[in-house]
Amino acid sequence: MTDFSPPRGTQDLLPPTSDAIEVLAERATALARLHGFGRVETPSFEDTQLFARGVGEGTDIVTKEMYTFDDKGGRSLTLRPEGTAPVMRAYLAHRQELGAPFKGYYVASMFRHERPQAGRMRQHTQFGVEIIGTAAPAADMEVIAIGHEYLTGLGLTRFALHLNSIGDERCRPAYRTVLIDFLKERFDQLCTDSRQRMLQNPLRVLDCKVESCRAATEDAPRITDYLDDACREHFEAVQAGLKEEGIEFSLDHRLVRGLDYYTGAIWEVTAPGM
């Protein structure tokens, strides 16, 4: 008997679900354009090294989740697992005519070889905005505000914004050393994944969902205590701006990012059931 099911971890979008998805995409586009962002469309696949270098060779995306293949010319290509690296590549290729700061948005398919589960598929559509060419706190605030406006515009209220800073290449190394020393003392309490990450990407250990790891790192040093003056002032400015805009948030010292290109203020939105 012929099996008409789509590949594992993917889904067919048919009416009325496809109609609802189209409305969400149209709202995202309208909001981005309202804030002065222009559409960026990059290929669905890129040179594999773009993600290995830009996202980080030790990240879960690169080591576990990418759909990578060799084309007929022997070139290693990867289906797009995230949007920032391709947008940055496209910007750098055309930066002379685009200028800075550049504001771009995308509504595009992403591909990750993850274990399929509720709310997480191997192919999904992602709305993203990028501001390139400025490190001003206002840029972070605008990106956060767009996400907040998008959710509230859909009538959603039961979500929470979490905020943290992970510093930059100047102040993060000192914290990394302190954190590794802390984790070594609790090595036996960490799960296998955290033990492997401890030296290569120690901040990821703080994000581990295994209960033993969370208990072992509850009193871990906080990176916000190790920020230099510039990063601290930037983070404080982002918080002040969000308060001025009436956007509620909570500081979360466990919040980290798994991609190497993140610096400074980081944020995440959670909702009941996530």
Side-chain angles (χ1 to χ4, degrees):
M1 182 177 178
T2 302
D3 183 3
F4 294 106
S5 302
R8 185 170 185 264
T10 65
Q11 59 184 332
D12 297 314
L13 294 176
L14 304 170
T17 301
S18 58
D19 296 331
I21 295 295
E22 185 173 7
V23 170
L24 292 176
E26 289 173 348
R27 289 192 177 195
T29 295
L31 179 60
R33 289 191 174 280
L34 181 64
H35 283 264
F37 288 74
R39 183 178 178 86
V40 177
E41 187 169 342
T42 61
S44 295
F45 55 88
E46 299 270 2
D47 186 295
T48 298
Q49 282 303 305
L50 173 69
F51 301 111
R53 292 194 307 266
V55 175
E57 294 187 359
T59 63
D60 284 351
I61 288 181
V62 173
T63 60
K64 301 178 181 179
E65 300 171 2
M66 296 201 312
Y67 280 97
T68 297
F69 59 94
D70 289 340
D71 68 5
K72 293 183 178 180
R75 292 173 289 265
S76 180
L77 302 174
T78 295
L79 293 178
R80 178 177 52 217
E82 62 91 41
T84 297
V87 171
M88 179 59 74
R89 176 199 55 73
Y91 171 76
L92 291 176
H94 302 277
R95 60 186 180 277
Q96 296 300 327
E97 60 260 40
L98 293 174
F102 171 72
K103 299 168 66 173
Y105 81 93
Y106 51 87
V107 180
S109 294
M110 306 292 166
F111 306 86
R112 293 195 188 182
H113 191 277
E114 300 181 282
R115 182 173 62 85
Q117 54 187 292
R120 179 174 295 178
M121 305 296 287
R122 290 177 172 174
Q123 177 179 343
H124 67 276
T125 300
Q126 183 173 314
F127 165 46
V129 298
E130 310 279 353
I131 302 179
I132 302 172
T134 176
D140 285 339
M141 289 184 287
E142 182 171 17
V143 172
I144 296 173
I146 288 175
H148 187 271
E149 187 176 345
Y150 182 69
L151 295 175
T152 56
L154 294 172
L156 302 178
T157 57
R158 298 180 62 198
F159 64 86
L161 172 64
H162 300 260
L163 190 67
N164 195 21
S165 174
I166 55 173
D168 60 16
E169 67 279 0
R170 296 185 300 271
C171 57
R172 195 187 302 167
Y175 173 70
R176 187 178 185 276
T177 299
V178 171
L179 180 59
I180 290 175
D181 289 342
F182 172 88
L183 294 174
K184 284 180 177 178
E185 295 176 357
R186 290 157 177 77
F187 184 82
D188 293 341
Q189 303 172 49
L190 303 178
C191 70
T192 301
D193 283 346
S194 289
R195 291 175 182 179
Q196 294 174 345
R197 291 169 175 159
M198 189 178 74
L199 295 179
Q200 190 170 32
N201 200 345
L203 271 70
R204 289 296 311 281
V205 178
L206 301 177
D207 191 42
C208 182
K209 300 301 187 291
V210 176
E211 189 56 40
S212 60
C213 288
R214 297 191 71 81
T217 57
E218 183 58 38
D219 59 342
R222 301 189 177 193
I223 192 169
T224 47
D225 292 332
Y226 292 83
L227 300 179
D228 61 17
D229 290 342
C231 285
R232 183 175 297 105
E233 290 173 5
H234 183 281
F235 191 41
E236 290 174 350
V238 171
Q239 295 178 65
L242 294 177
K243 291 176 181 177
E244 186 174 331
E245 292 295 323
I247 298 176
E248 296 183 358
F249 64 89
S250 61
L251 297 180
D252 184 353
H253 72 278
R254 283 189 176 274
L255 182 60
V256 298
R257 299 286 76 171
L259 312 185
D260 285 357
Y261 56 68
Y262 278 98
T263 59
I266 59 172
W267 55 91
E268 183 175 271
V269 173
T270 61
M274 292 180 64

